Amino acid sequence: MDDEAQQTERDRSSRPSGPGSPPEPEPREGRSRSAYPGAVAAWIPGGWITVTLLVLLLFLLLLSAFVIQPFRIPSGSMERGLRVGDRVVVNKVAYRFGAGPRRGDIVVFDGTGTWGDGDYIKRVVGVGGDHVTCCDDEGRVQVNGRPVDESAFLYPGDSPSTVAFDVVVPAGTLFVLGDHRADSSDSRDHLGSPGGGMVPVDDVVGRADWIVWPFGHATVLDRPGAYASVPAAKGAKDAKHAKDADG
């Protein structure tokens, strides 16, 4: 009885066959898509381990080329915040979508052809159009007539500058200084060089956003509030007023 019931169920689920029924198509043989990575892994020495490492390496290369890049601090010019041997992560997309460097940012730039071969790291003090001078009666740097209190990041014991300067930053360039002014070769040292010590914005690699090594010194590199009260450059104000009038 049970055998008959089981046979009936199998009959219901099977296709009818007979002289008038079309033959069932035979399944096509082919290589599964998942077989190709396996074939590649089998062909490469080391198999899946090598493939995984190659993919990881490619990912890191693309990340370093277009998104972030590690940078080792080579000198004491940015102490006390950045010490010799610290590793920072440079954000390479910070200025790629219309935003430019701002006063107070720590930037890495390529000094080839103007400052010497290699990359440098400094703090932005003036942007295009800014009038930067030093020093006022209290020994402070002034930007667009407003004194800047640099005590939060300036190296202890350093004065803002022992070199007097009075510059207007050309459009598309930056005036940069090290935080350890007594041990920094920066825009002040290149005032008489081609370019007047200014750093072209196009030469900026990116903004240093994090210290990641050593772990005990790891931190986020925030933009200090010292420049928040600095007014816009006169040229920028005139351009804005002209735009508003045209609008």
Side-chain angles (χ1 to χ4, degrees):
M1 190 72 176
D2 292 340
D3 292 341
E4 292 180 0
Q6 291 178 7
Q7 182 65 37
T8 302
E9 292 299 324
R10 284 197 296 269
D11 291 344
R12 289 176 181 172
S13 61
S14 62
R15 287 191 173 186
S17 60
S21 301
E24 293 186 8
E26 294 183 1
R28 296 179 60 185
E29 293 184 359
R31 175 170 289 184
S32 169
R33 291 182 180 178
S34 61
Y36 289 103
V40 172
W43 176 73
I44 296 178
W48 280 109
I49 295 178
T50 303
V51 171
T52 303
L53 291 176
L54 289 174
V55 171
L56 180 60
L57 178 61
L58 178 61
F59 173 76
L60 292 176
L61 289 174
L62 292 174
L63 193 69
S64 178
F66 300 106
V67 183
I68 60 174
Q69 179 179 329
F71 181 83
R72 181 183 179 276
I73 303 303
S75 72
S77 69
M78 286 298 292
E79 293 179 335
R80 59 189 168 186
L82 301 178
R83 304 176 302 192
V84 177
D86 281 354
R87 267 68 168 182
V88 300
V89 172
V90 178
N91 181 352
K92 301 180 74 171
V93 298
Y95 307 129
R96 286 190 179 176
F97 301 101
R102 295 171 58 183
R103 305 180 199 97
D105 285 354
I106 298 175
V107 297
V108 172
F109 59 92
D110 181 4
T112 303
T114 53
W115 290 42
D117 294 338
D119 293 339
Y120 295 78
I121 183 165
K122 304 293 177 186
R123 189 180 299 276
V124 177
V125 175
V127 297
D130 282 347
H131 182 200
V132 187
T133 63
C134 191
C135 298
D136 68 3
D137 294 339
E138 297 183 27
R140 297 171 298 184
V141 170
Q142 288 187 314
V143 182
N144 300 331
R146 185 70 54 87
V148 178
D149 180 7
E150 301 177 290
S151 58
F153 50 85
L154 201 64
Y155 187 79
D158 275 8
S159 63
S161 181
T162 57
V163 177
F165 53 83
D166 186 336
V167 298
V168 175
V169 184
T173 66
L174 307 171
F175 185 84
V176 298
L177 298 174
D179 289 351
H180 193 349
R181 302 287 160 81
D183 191 29
S184 175
S185 178
D186 45 43
S187 288
R188 299 170 299 170
D189 298 273
H190 298 274
L191 293 174
S193 304
M198 307 300 165
V199 175
V201 173
D202 290 343
D203 290 344
V204 173
V205 176
R207 183 180 66 208
D209 280 351
W210 307 276
I211 301 174
V212 295
W213 182 262
F215 291 134
H217 190 46
T219 187
V220 175
L221 296 172
D222 293 322
R223 182 184 300 113
Y227 300 92
S229 61
V230 173
K234 185 178 184 299
K237 288 181 180 179
D238 293 343
K240 183 178 184 303
H241 292 159
K243 182 177 180 181
D244 293 342
D246 291 341

